[in-house]
């Protein structure tokens, strides 16, 4: 246990230092997540017509929450893992007495902390420009929302890492992620709160993992009515499924792997 | 043969271009499965975009002055631009940073043709073809339903061409900043993120957004203006503005590249 704690601390501090080194790049990544802010404008404008069930402020808050959730659930493990497999760098990591996944996982976590200041500055700037939208989430909503963000990040990481393992068999595993990303983009609530979807579509989508990656945490943050238990169990269910597939692929993949030095 | 190397002008550039692109396509065709994936992705992306648009129109709401089919024209032009950037811009301009990082930009600069031309046209990727096709299909479908005539299609080519030039110039300038900042790959991601705004007619946005997407990031000129030309309701001022913008941006990109090169300290020197 003590050894584990030490490993975690070391990995976190190493990757934090690494990420802070690339601050400028990080800022650009933060800025490249503007998609929700664009849709915020259109939906806010659309709500002026009075034909929608949401008020303009509700849309603004929702999409700001989407922006925040996006910032903290960004995952890129598949591109790194793919490169490691293709270039044979994985071999060196396999020699270490720790599963290579932790290196990626804590790299992502450390990046969150390095990203935090930028995200806060942007949010402050936003409320300064648009004070009407200012809201304070209820303590329960905030707590649940943060927990949901953590879960959403873990689930997204797990899913992407599972796809990444396909790199043992194919050269462009990232293509799978790119395809999957389309579903994520359109069904996760990034383009609109799920309340705007036709009922049948919404009910179907709620069984997939996608809305729990964005819509669910964002709704908790802004106080839209969602069922926290359903969210929790759906995420755990999909998480368990991907975990099993992941471990199976990992074992098969290592046998398949013939990178340099393996 | 120095005369041949330095005198050919336009014709020489065209033959170089043919060589570049035939080799690039030959290389990409090694990955035929990727083409299938690109087609599926493109189809999925289009379905998603249509769904996104449908979410607005199903409530009876309309973007001001844009019916469903008219909004489809904008989406079609956006898809077309996506195809264009996947075919030419991404494979070329996003690689400038690698050239700088690995010092291979030296070799490019030594070649007896314009380095901007080399960097902008070295590779062509067939991955954008599905987007180009679906974009065209969508435009023609919506255009037919709206009764758009041949003349209007041709007219819209003018602002579309201007838009492509502006897009290229912006992208190139951002790519060129990698002379200073090596890890710049994501500057173009910022631009791409903002360009997503072109999915919708500019009239769909609140006033502040409209100003931003017209004067700061000229998204309005990329999709809305060509669409309006196609719908026969564009004011000539907009087309003129679009042309002016493209000329200014193209010239700036040239100046900017020359300026940036002064700061390039090559790997070998």
């Amino acid at each position: 246990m003590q050894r584990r704690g030490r490993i975690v601390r070391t990995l976190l501090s190493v990757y934090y230092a690494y990420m802070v080194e690339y601050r400028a790049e990080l800022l650009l990544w933060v800025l490249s997540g503007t998609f929700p802010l664009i849709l915020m404008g259109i939906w806010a404008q659309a709500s002026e017509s009075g034909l929608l069930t949401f008020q303009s402020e509700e849309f603004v808050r929702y999409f700001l929450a989407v922006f925040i959730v996006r910032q903290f659930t960004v995952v890129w493990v598949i591109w790194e893992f793919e490169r490691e497999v293709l270039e044979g760098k994985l071999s060196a990591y396999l020699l270490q007495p720790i599963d290579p996944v932790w290196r990626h996982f804590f790299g992502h976590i450390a990046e969150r902390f390095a990203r935090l200041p930028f995200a806060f500055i942007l949010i402050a700037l936003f409320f300064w420009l648009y004070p009407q939208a200012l809201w304070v989430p209820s303590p329960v909503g905030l707590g649940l929302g943060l927990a949901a963000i953590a879960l959403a990040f873990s689930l997204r990481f797990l899913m992407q890492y599972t796809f990444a393992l396909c790199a043992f068999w194919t050269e462009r595993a990232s293509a799978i992620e790119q395809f999957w990303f389309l579903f994520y983009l359109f069904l996760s609530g990034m383009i609109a709160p799920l309340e705007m979807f036709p009922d049948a579509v919404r009910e179907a989508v709620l069984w997939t993992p996608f809305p729990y990656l964005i819509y669910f945490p964002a709704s908790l943050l802004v106080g839209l009515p969602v069922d926290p238990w359903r969210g929790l169990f759906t995420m755990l269910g999909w998480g368990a499924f991907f975990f099993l597939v992941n471990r199976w692929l990992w074992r098969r993949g290592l046998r398949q792997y013939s990178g340099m030095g393996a | 043969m120095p005369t041949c190397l330095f005198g050919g002008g336009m014709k020489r550039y065209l033959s170089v271009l043919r060589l570049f692109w035939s080799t690039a396509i030959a290389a990409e065709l090694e990955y035929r499965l990727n083409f299938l994936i690109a087609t599926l992705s493109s189809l999925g992306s289009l379905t998603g975009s249509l769904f996104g648009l449908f979410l607005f129109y199903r409530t009876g709401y309309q973007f001001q002055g844009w019916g469903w089919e008219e909004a489809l024209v904008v989406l079609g032009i956006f898809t077309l631009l996506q195809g264009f950037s996947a075919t030419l811009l991404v494979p070329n301009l996003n690689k400038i940073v690698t050239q700088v990082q690995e010092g291979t930009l030296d070799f490019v600069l030594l070649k007896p043709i314009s380095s901007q031309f080399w960097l902008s046209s070295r590779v062509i990727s067939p991955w954008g073809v599905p987007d180009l096709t679906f974009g065209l299909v969508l435009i023609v479908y919506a255009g037919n339903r709206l009764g758009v005539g041949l003349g209007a299609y041709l007219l819209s080519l003018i602002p579309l061409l201007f838009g492509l030039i502006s897009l290229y110039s912006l992208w190139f300038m951002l790519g060129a900043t990698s002379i200073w900042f090596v890890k710049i790959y994501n500057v173009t991601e910022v631009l791409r993120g903002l360009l997503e705004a072109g999915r919708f007619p500019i009239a769909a946005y609140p006033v502040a957004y409209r100003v931003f997407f017209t004067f700061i990031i000229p998204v309005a000129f990329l999709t809305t203006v060509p669409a309006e030309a196609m719908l026969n309701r564009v004011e000539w001022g907009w087309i003129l503005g679009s042309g002016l913008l493209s000329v200014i941006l193209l010239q700036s990109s040239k100046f900017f590249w020359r300026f940036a090169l002064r700061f390039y300290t090559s790997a070998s020197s």
Side-chain angles (χ1 to χ4, degrees):
Chain A
M1 200 62 221
Q2 215 185 8
R3 175 175 167 272
R4 240 179 239 177
R6 224 175 41 234
I7 291 175
V8 169
R9 237 174 308 137
T10 314
L11 284 177
L12 274 180
S13 62
V14 167
Y15 280 107
Y16 180 73
Y18 173 83
M19 294 296 171
V20 170
E21 196 55 36
Y22 290 110
R23 274 179 305 250
E25 190 190 14
L26 215 55
L27 174 66
L28 293 175
W29 278 126
V30 171
L31 288 178
S32 67
T34 46
F35 192 55
L37 303 183
I38 291 172
L39 281 152
M40 172 196 288
I42 307 188
W43 280 108
Q45 177 78 5
S47 68
E48 306 280 321
S49 70
L51 289 163
L52 308 175
T53 46
F54 273 40
Q55 298 298 312
S56 143
E57 263 84 47
E58 283 177 286
F59 275 122
V60 171
R61 282 175 203 151
Y62 174 78
F63 281 107
L64 187 67
V66 169
F67 175 77
I68 296 168
V69 173
R70 276 277 286 147
Q71 290 300 322
F72 292 101
T73 55
V74 174
V75 176
W76 60 86
V77 62
I78 194 161
W79 284 272
E80 285 187 345
F81 190 82
E82 190 185 55
R83 214 176 38 236
E84 282 175 10
V85 171
L86 291 184
E87 296 176 359
K89 284 187 182 146
L90 182 65
S91 311
Y93 295 134
L94 284 175
L95 287 176
Q96 296 174 352
I98 171 176
D99 192 318
V101 68
W102 296 117
R103 202 170 269 287
H104 296 294
F105 186 76
F106 288 112
H108 280 68
I109 302 266
E111 194 260 6
R112 296 303 105 102
F113 288 110
R115 196 184 269 253
L116 214 56
F118 297 121
F120 276 136
I121 291 171
L122 264 177
I123 295 167
L125 184 72
F126 183 85
F127 284 132
W128 178 67
L129 286 173
Y130 197 57
Q132 297 96 305
L134 188 63
W135 92 99
V136 182
S138 68
V140 180
L142 186 67
L144 285 178
L146 291 179
I149 290 180
L151 260 179
F153 162 70
S154 310
L155 181 59
R156 202 158 128 63
F157 184 87
L158 182 62
M159 291 195 296
Q160 205 185 84
Y161 187 59
T162 307
F163 296 138
L165 294 178
C166 297
F168 287 123
W169 291 273
T170 161
E171 256 182 56
R172 290 198 184 167
S174 53
I176 306 173
E177 167 65 18
Q178 273 159 9
F179 193 64
W180 185 256
F181 185 81
L182 289 174
F183 292 94
Y184 171 69
L185 188 63
F186 294 112
L187 301 180
S188 64
M190 205 184 321
I191 56 165
L194 260 64
E195 280 81 1
M196 297 296 129
F197 286 21
D199 292 338
V201 178
R202 182 176 58 239
E203 283 313 310
V205 167
L206 278 173
W207 289 101
T208 69
F210 304 108
Y212 302 98
L213 302 175
I214 288 195
Y215 166 77
F216 177 66
S219 296
L220 287 170
L221 283 179
V222 292
L224 287 173
V226 280
D227 182 354
W229 290 110
R230 179 169 184 185
L232 179 68
F233 285 116
T234 319
M235 283 166 109
L236 287 181
W238 280 105
F241 169 74
F242 274 97
F243 181 76
L244 290 176
V245 176
N246 184 294
R247 289 297 90 188
W248 182 74
L249 282 176
W250 174 248
R251 275 197 304 274
R252 299 284 305 261
L254 281 187
R255 254 180 274 157
Q256 166 82 21
Y257 179 59
S258 57
M260 272 195 301
Chain B
M1 259 159 279
T3 44
C4 172
L5 276 177
F6 295 105
M10 190 75 177
K11 207 171 142 206
R12 183 168 56 106
Y13 275 89
L14 282 178
S15 65
V16 168
L17 204 60
R18 206 169 51 226
L19 265 177
F20 280 171
W21 289 5
S22 57
T23 51
I25 287 181
E28 282 291 339
L29 286 184
E30 290 291 309
Y31 303 95
R32 262 159 297 200
L33 187 65
N34 283 334
F35 190 73
L36 180 73
I37 296 172
T39 310
L40 279 178
S41 302
S42 169
L43 202 60
S45 160
L46 189 65
T47 315
S49 309
L50 286 173
F51 176 64
L53 204 57
F54 165 73
L55 290 183
F56 291 97
Y57 280 83
R58 79 185 194 93
T59 60
Y61 170 74
Q62 283 202 343
F63 300 144
Q64 189 139 43
W66 294 81
W68 170 250
E69 279 92 1
E70 290 159 335
L72 285 188
V73 172
V74 176
L75 186 59
I77 292 178
F78 178 78
T79 314
L80 215 57
L81 289 183
Q82 262 186 333
F84 170 71
S85 53
T87 314
L88 272 177
L89 302 182
V90 175
N92 287 303
L93 304 183
N94 289 12
K95 277 202 202 109
I96 300 180
V97 62
T98 328
Q99 306 269 9
V100 176
Q101 224 167 4
E102 295 176 358
T104 43
L105 186 60
D106 292 14
F107 308 136
V108 179
L109 294 177
L110 286 175
K111 289 189 167 70
I113 55 173
S114 147
S115 53
Q116 183 171 2
F117 173 79
W118 196 98
L119 289 171
S120 313
S121 66
R122 177 63 191 85
V123 187
I124 190 168
S125 153
W127 290 50
V129 172
D131 265 343
L132 289 174
T133 319
F134 292 136
L136 276 180
V137 168
L138 193 59
I139 292 173
V140 170
Y141 165 78
N144 268 349
R145 301 205 32 167
L146 289 166
V148 172
L150 187 64
Y153 281 122
L154 291 179
L155 177 66
S156 74
L157 283 182
I158 302 171
L160 189 63
L161 182 72
F162 290 149
L164 292 180
I165 295 174
S166 301
L167 181 62
Y168 156 77
S169 310
L170 278 175
W171 207 303
F172 181 81
M173 281 190 271
L174 286 179
T177 51
S178 51
I179 297 271
W180 292 279
F181 317 103
V182 170
K183 279 217 146 199
I184 213 65
Y185 163 71
N186 32 30
V187 170
T188 50
E189 285 301 304
V190 176
L191 178 69
R192 267 173 109 175
L194 291 171
L195 290 178
E196 291 287 334
R199 282 171 193 276
F200 305 98
I202 206 77
Y205 293 94
V207 179
Y209 280 64
R210 272 183 242 174
V211 172
F212 181 80
F213 285 126
T214 309
F215 296 107
I216 300 181
I217 306 287
V219 173
F221 292 102
L222 300 182
T223 56
T224 306
V225 173
E228 285 193 318
M230 201 173 289
L231 300 171
N232 247 332
R233 60 184 199 202
V234 71
E235 283 161 35
W236 283 98
W238 282 99
I239 298 196
L240 203 69
S242 183
L244 214 60
L245 183 77
S246 67
V247 171
I248 292 173
L249 283 176
L250 188 63
Q251 276 305 326
S252 324
S253 80
K254 279 189 195 160
F255 284 130
F256 188 69
W257 180 236
R258 241 176 280 157
F259 175 71
L261 278 185
R262 279 201 265 150
F263 293 85
Y264 178 58
T265 48
S266 68
S268 50
S269 60

